[in-house]
């Protein structure tokens, strides 16, 4: 018998003191208690000692209840999805097809449809081969008989397909997949470097600072700060939902009234909206605000043409800086005091960019996913590039420009739909520096519908490629350093604007489904699972409250690669859609503090008659008509959902590939393809932007 080795006493923390005491009670109704030491009665009781059969039963029932609830929730979601498919695809109730105005969009849809039909045919053939037992040919260690030894035409066709697949199709897919994986790793390394730079900025607490307090003065008669002349521009076009709150926020900027001029640049083609904006401008003008209304009869050049026309006014020559806010932006009253002083004693500084903050980021799943992307863009990309390179792309709004920098860089040009990035690139080539203020935030909106978001992303990804073609000769021949040229060409344009949508669409939407039908070119698990999840984790770091949405974020980003790839191709090859400008639809949401402030002002001025000085009787009658129009309740417009054919075709392609992965018992590939296909299906049915409960 082996000796019993018990070393527990060797490392015991306390040694037993005293002799064991046995206490016996004469009354038989009491139990016998044995005390093994002075502290044994106060030691914690083992958890397993207090359990009985009834407690275990209750625990099992609770776990079973949770499991049933989870299954019921999944069944409810699946039933709702099937109901949406039946309603929108079969019966076409309340839906319309998304228009494909250009031939390139139709061409991409045709290519995807060919892939889908081919995949369905191959899947049917693979299922027949699997049921007949021919799938053992996939094992290279087994002997494959010659076609002449086999009976039946299907046997011969299957062996011929295996040979053709291994000799011709697999090498092409392997070469393309290796190229995309290489681009994927390069882009992942770039994200890692940006995140490390952001952590270094946080650790060292690096940020642009204003020396002293320029607005603090011991002089009782006034401030010692010499307030420069600031021009504020609000470009808008048919912005009926947001014009009032943006004009109101800008008119409350804390700056001397004789040192600021507000330009409301209205490009609206709807006369009723024009009169509404005019009335709002008149209201603030009567309150002593230096504000003017400008409207162009010929709307050329979109936003760039609007800004260029406004900068051509003679009175602009007396101003030193210009602040630009889009129609849905609501700056805080101290915005100018937090941005303009950075220009003092810094003659090389051309732009001060503030960060965006979103009032509707929790409206639905789509807005939450957008918030993740934009938080990474501002806090990581723009902050790191601003600190280490003094260059980043101007966001088109919530920024202050030195007018001299705009003029020396050629002003606003109408050659692209990304006029903000265009002026930033030209200013950087002329030697101007930029700074990004991560702690200065301006409220705005993100698109709440997939249709608006899709059009916005198309413009944001086609414009940079169009600009790259136009600016490449100027970048090469500029006088900036070689490192800055390499950063602008390789990183700013190629890697982040061209390579990212290319490999994302090609790798996850084309190659991965094809590898299910061509097992010789199978992608490793770390490419489709580990690295994407890790990179999604890095993207979510600036928005830690969004961690529960890491999986939907990864799947949705792959889904959006279709739109981004299509936009990138249209911009790179100068197709018609690269010149298309669609104003992003807004909902007109305000923050809670803004709503409370407006309610307080309305309560104070409810019984006070307004006096319009300098206005004729005709103008007053028109203003009264406008007020009556605003008071009339508008008839709610029934929402019409769109059906996006490219996303639906890719959804069925990925779901088909997931079925094929079941035959080869590839678990990770199956789940990824299944979830990605469902995501494409939700987007294709326009369900991604539905309101959250």
């Amino acid at each position: 018998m082996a000796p019993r080795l018990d070393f527990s006493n060797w490392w015991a923390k306390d040694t037993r003191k005293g002799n064991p005491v046995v206490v016996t009670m004469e009354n038989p109704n009491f139990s016998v208690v044995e005390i093994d030491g002075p502290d044994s009665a106060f030691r914690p009781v083992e958890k397993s000692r207090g359990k009985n059969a009834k407690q275990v039963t209750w625990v099992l029932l609770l776990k079973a209840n949770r499991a049933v609830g989870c299954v019921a929730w999944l069944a409810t979601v699946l039933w709702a999805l099937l109901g949406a498919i039946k309603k929108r695809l079969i019966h076409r109730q309340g839906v319309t097809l998304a228009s494909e105005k250009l031939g390139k969009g139709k061409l991409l849809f045709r290519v995807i449809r060919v892939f889908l039909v081919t995949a369905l045919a191959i899947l049917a053939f693979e299922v027949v081969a699997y049921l007949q037992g021919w799938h053992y040919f996939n094992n290279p260690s087994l002997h494959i008989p010659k076609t002449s030894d086999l009976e039946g035409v299907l046997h011969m066709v299957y062996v011929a397909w295996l040979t053709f697949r291994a000799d011709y199709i697999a090498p092409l897919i392997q070469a393309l997949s290796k190229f995309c994986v290489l681009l994927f790793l390069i882009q992942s390394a770039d994200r890692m470097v940006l995140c490390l730079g952001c952590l270094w900025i946080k650790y060292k607490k690096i940020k642009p600072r204003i020396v002293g307090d320029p607005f603090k003065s011991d002089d009782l008669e006034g401030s010692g700060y010499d307030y420069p002349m600031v021009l504020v521009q609000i470009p808008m076009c048919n912005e009926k939902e947001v014009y009032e709150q943006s004009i109101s926020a800008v008119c409350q900027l804390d700056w001397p009234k004789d040192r600021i001029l507000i330009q409301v640049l209205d490009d609206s083609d709807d006369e009723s909206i024009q009169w509404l904006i005019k009335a709002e401008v008149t209201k603030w003008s009567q309150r002593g605000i230096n504000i003017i209304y400008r409207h162009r009869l010929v709307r050329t050049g979109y936003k760039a043409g609007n800004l260029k026309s406004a900068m051509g006014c003679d009175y602009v020559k007396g101003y030193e800086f210009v602040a630009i806010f889009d129609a849905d932006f609501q700056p805080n009253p101290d915005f100018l005091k937090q941005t303009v002083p950075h220009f003092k004693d810094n003659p090389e500084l051309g732009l001060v960019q503030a960060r965006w903050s979103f009032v509707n980021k929790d409206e639905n799943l789509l807005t939450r996913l957008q918030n993740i992307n934009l938080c990474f863009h501002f806090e990581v990309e723009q902050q790191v590039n601003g600190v280490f390179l003094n260059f980043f792309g101007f966001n088109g709004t919530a920024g202050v420009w030195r007018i001299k920098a705009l003029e020396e860089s050629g002003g606003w040009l109408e050659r692209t739909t990304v006029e903000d990035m265009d002026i930033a690139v030209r200013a950087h080539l002329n030697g101007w520096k930029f700074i990004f203020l991560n702690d200065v935030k301006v409220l705005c909106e993100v698109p709440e519908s997939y249709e608006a978001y899709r059009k916005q992303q198309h413009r944001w990804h086609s414009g940079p490629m169009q600009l790259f073609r136009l600016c490449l000769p100027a970048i090469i021949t500029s006088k900036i350093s070689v490192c800055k040229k390499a950063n602008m060409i390789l990183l700013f344009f190629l890697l982040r604007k061209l390579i990212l949508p290319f490999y994302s669409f090609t790798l996850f939407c084309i190659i991965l489904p094809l590898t299910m039908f061509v097992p010789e070119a199978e992608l490793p698990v770390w490419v489709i699972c580990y690295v994407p999840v890790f990179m999604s984790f890095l993207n979510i770091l600036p928005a830690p409250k969004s961690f529960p949405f890491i999986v939907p974020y990864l799947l949705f980003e792959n889904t959006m690669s279709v739109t981004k790839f299509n936009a990138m191709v249209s911009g790179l090859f100068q197709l018609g859609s690269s010149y298309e400008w669609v104003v992003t639809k807004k909902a007109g949401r305000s923050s809670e503090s803004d709503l409370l402030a407006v309610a307080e002002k309305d309560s104070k001025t409810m019984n006070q008659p307004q006096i319009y000085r300098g206005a004729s009787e005709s103008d007053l009658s028109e203003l009264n008509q406008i007020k009556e129009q605003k008071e009339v309740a508008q008839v709610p417009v029934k929402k019409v959902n769109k059906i996006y054919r490219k996303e639906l075709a890719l959804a069925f392609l990925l779901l088909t590939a997931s079925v094929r992965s079941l035959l080869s018992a590839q678990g990770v590939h199956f789940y990824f393809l299944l979830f990605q296909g469902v995501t494409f299906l939700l987007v294709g049915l326009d369900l991604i932007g539905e309101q959250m409960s």
Side-chain angles (χ1 to χ4, degrees), residues 100 104-114 644-649:
E100 297 286 354
K104 195 63 182 179
K106 294 182 178 180
L107 178 61
L108 181 60
F109 171 67
R110 291 171 184 171
V111 172
I112 296 174
R113 189 167 56 182
V114 169
Y644 301 97
R645 296 181 295 178
K646 290 194 291 291
E647 284 78 1
L648 282 178

Side-chain angles (χ1 to χ4, degrees), residues 25-81:
M25 306 300 293
E26 295 181 357
N27 191 344
N29 293 330
F30 294 90
S31 60
V32 178
V33 179
E34 179 179 349
I35 302 177
D36 195 21
D39 299 329
S40 60
F42 301 98
R43 293 176 182 173
V45 182
E46 297 179 4
K47 296 181 179 180
S48 59
R49 293 180 58 187
K51 293 182 179 179
N52 53 37
K54 182 178 290 187
Q55 291 176 331
V56 173
T57 303
W58 276 108
V59 171
L60 294 177
L61 287 176
L62 287 175
K63 292 184 177 181
N65 185 36
R66 292 179 181 177
V68 171
C70 182
V71 173
W73 179 81
L74 291 175
T76 303
V77 172
L78 180 60
W79 184 257
L81 179 60

Side-chain angles (χ1 to χ4, degrees), residues 249-265:
V250 171
C251 288
Q252 298 178 52
L253 289 173
D254 187 8
W255 203 256
K257 295 182 179 180
D258 60 337
R259 314 292 292 178
I260 185 174
L261 172 64
I262 301 173
Q263 287 181 319
V264 178
L265 311 177

Side-chain angles (χ1 to χ4, degrees), residues 141-198:
S141 62
L142 296 179
H143 171 68
I144 301 178
K146 297 181 180 180
T147 55
S148 58
D149 299 334
L150 300 175
E151 296 179 358
V153 178
L154 291 179
H155 267 135
M156 298 175 60
V157 173
Y158 189 66
V159 173
W161 158 245
L162 292 179
T163 305
F164 179 78
R165 186 180 72 186
D167 294 341
Y168 299 100
I169 299 179
L172 295 176
I173 298 179
Q174 287 176 345
L176 184 59
S177 63
K178 289 179 179 178
F179 179 66
C180 291
V181 169
L182 177 62
L183 298 180
F184 178 45
L185 294 178
I186 294 174
Q187 196 269 339
S188 301
D190 176 62
R191 290 291 177 99
M192 281 289 298
V193 172
L194 289 174
C195 291
L196 292 176
C198 183

Side-chain angles (χ1 to χ4, degrees), residues 235 267 296 301-308 324 326 396-397 419 581:
D267 260 2
R296 296 190 304 161
Y302 302 113
K303 182 180 176 181
N306 198 0
L307 294 173
K308 181 179 179 180
I324 303 173
D326 282 350
T397 179
E419 73 293 329
W581 179 289

Side-chain angles (χ1 to χ4, degrees), residues 267-279:
D267 260 2
S268 302
D269 53 6
D270 190 337
E271 292 186 1
S272 62
I273 299 178
Q274 295 176 21
W275 282 111
L276 290 174
I277 298 174
K278 284 182 182 179

